[in-house]
Amino acid sequence: QVQLQESGPGLVKPSDTLSLTCAVSGYPIRSSNWWGWIRQPPGKGLEWIGYIYYTGSNNYHPSLQSRVTVSVDASRNQFSLKLSSVTAVDTAVYYCARISNAGVLLDYWGHGTLVTVSS
Amino acid sequence: EIVMTQSPATLSVSPGERVTLSCRASQSLSSNLAWYQQKFGQAPRLLIYGVSTRATGIPARFSGSGSGTEFTLTISRLQSEDFAVYYCQQYNNWPGTFGQGTKVEIK
């Protein structure tokens, strides 16, 4: 059973860098699947952040591209997200997920972690 | 960026009723359309992909249809555990975009 678990600080100061890690269990990150990050501001809809392959190939949402870095550590079966220069609009629940082999859609999700940007 | 528009925003339904949710894309998607269910405080769950293929473990009362720019999710007989928010997502172009969601609530 594929399981994903996000971890990282729940509070980040404005202008700082948000850093989260997603630990994958029950499935090798070195597979044919890509791995992604999605966010959901409180009470709002879902937004893609970006995704990565175990080789390090990645793709980011154009609106976030200048601030986002997604990396992978295949030896630890985990991948990570860094979002720089955060503001209050970056406050959201951040989800990591596995991307389906059927396309860039998400078939297994972590539970999500709330990150609040506030001083 | 493709804009996804879902309707209605909220649907008040009684258990046992048939429910139809709509999703419209700003441009043609071929078959690259998925549906997710999100219950309060939980992560979304994949229901349907490729317009009409049910994901693993999804009950047969959930079905998807449509083509081009117009898509539908149907729940044949609503059960208590189906009250949730439903999102459509296009994955024809990057970035994949989601609709704003339809909330199915108890009437």
Side-chain angles (χ1 to χ4, degrees), chain A residues 40 46 48 60 95 104 106 110, chain B residues 36 38 43 87 89 94 96 98:
Chain A
Q40 185 173 35
L46 299 158
W48 267 104
Y60 301 145
Y95 295 100
V104 186
L106 305 139
Chain B
Y36 301 85
Q38 186 177 34
Y87 293 96
Q89 181 221 333
W94 177 255
F98 296 85

Side-chain angles (χ1 to χ4, degrees), chain B:
Chain B
E1 186 171 301
I2 296 176
V3 177
M4 306 298 291
T5 304
Q6 291 185 242
S7 61
T10 304
L11 205 51
S12 297
V13 187
S14 299
E17 288 187 6
R18 180 184 179 90
V19 172
T20 301
L21 284 62
S22 296
C23 176
R24 174 178 294 176
S26 60
Q27 57 185 270
S28 180
L29 302 181
S30 183
S31 298
N32 298 314
L33 188 283
W35 291 93
Y36 301 85
Q37 176 195 66
Q38 186 177 34
K39 297 181 182 178
F40 183 77
Q42 296 185 16
R45 176 175 70 147
L46 179 65
L47 296 176
I48 301 279
Y49 63 94
V51 176
S52 60
T53 301
R54 281 189 299 277
T56 303
I58 301 303
R61 65 180 182 274
F62 291 93
S63 62
S65 63
S67 64
T69 62
E70 301 281 345
F71 302 92
T72 298
L73 175 69
T74 300
I75 310 172
S76 59
R77 288 186 181 181
L78 200 71
Q79 298 192 4
S80 57
E81 62 264 32
D82 300 335
F83 291 98
V85 179
Y86 293 84
Y87 293 96
C88 60
Q89 181 221 333
Q90 68 82 15
Y91 52 100
N92 198 63
N93 292 1
W94 177 255
T97 43
F98 296 85
Q100 79 280 18
T102 291
K103 182 179 180 181
V104 177
E105 63 178 23
I106 299 175
K107 189 173 184 179

Side-chain angles (χ1 to χ4, degrees), chain A residues 4-17:
Chain A
L4 300 97
Q5 179 66 58
E6 305 88 350
S7 62
L11 181 64
V12 180
K13 289 182 168 53
S15 79
D16 282 357
T17 296

